[in-house]
Amino acid sequence: MKQTDKLILRTENKEGKCTVFVGGELDLESAAQMRAAMSPLVELCDRELTINLRDLRYVDSTGIGIIVSVLKARHANNAPFAVEAIPPNIRKLFDMTGITPFLLKQQA
């Protein structure tokens, strides 16, 4: 687990799935830490990548941009990606920006 005063990240790998648990605040100040954590995971195309936002209290446009960049990179590599456990206040921002449908796991 990596932690600063603002952002808490924990990665869990099991059964062909990599889940990144994000807590605290994802904003301009913590963006470099989030990018560094996500960069090597984006290329792991042999497994599903999921970001769990259950403990995220705040996200700004920089944080949303990081999530969208991961989405785009995974899509370009035809690799599965989803965001789960989105808190209501964060979900409202995602809905307002129109990205919610692209982040949720697609049902087969």
Side-chain angles (χ1 to χ4, degrees):
M1 180 184 307
K2 268 187 167 179
Q3 182 172 345
T4 65
D5 291 332
K6 296 185 69 163
L7 185 66
I8 302 164
L9 299 172
R10 180 174 59 87
T11 303
E12 182 179 280
N13 286 291
K14 64 181 179 183
E15 299 174 12
K17 181 178 179 180
C18 178
T19 303
V20 179
F21 294 87
V22 181
E25 299 179 12
L26 177 54
D27 57 14
L28 181 61
E29 187 178 330
S30 59
Q33 180 184 349
M34 181 69 171
R35 280 191 196 97
M38 296 305 299
S39 184
L41 303 176
V42 169
E43 300 302 320
L44 296 177
C45 298
D46 62 332
R47 65 188 72 189
E48 180 180 339
L49 176 60
T50 301
I51 298 177
N52 182 304
L53 300 179
R54 177 184 58 225
D55 296 322
L56 188 66
R57 293 185 316 268
Y58 174 80
V59 65
D60 70 1
S61 60
T62 304
I64 292 171
I66 292 169
I67 293 170
V68 169
S69 69
V70 172
L71 168 69
K72 288 180 178 182
R74 296 292 288 185
H75 181 74
N77 290 326
N78 200 26
F81 174 71
V83 177
E84 65 184 13
I86 306 169
N89 61 320
I90 307 296
R91 172 72 183 252
K92 185 176 180 179
L93 288 173
F94 289 174
D95 289 347
M96 288 186 335
T97 60
I99 64 170
T100 304
F102 302 102
L103 300 177
L104 301 178
K105 190 175 199 174
Q106 300 300 312
Q107 301 299 320

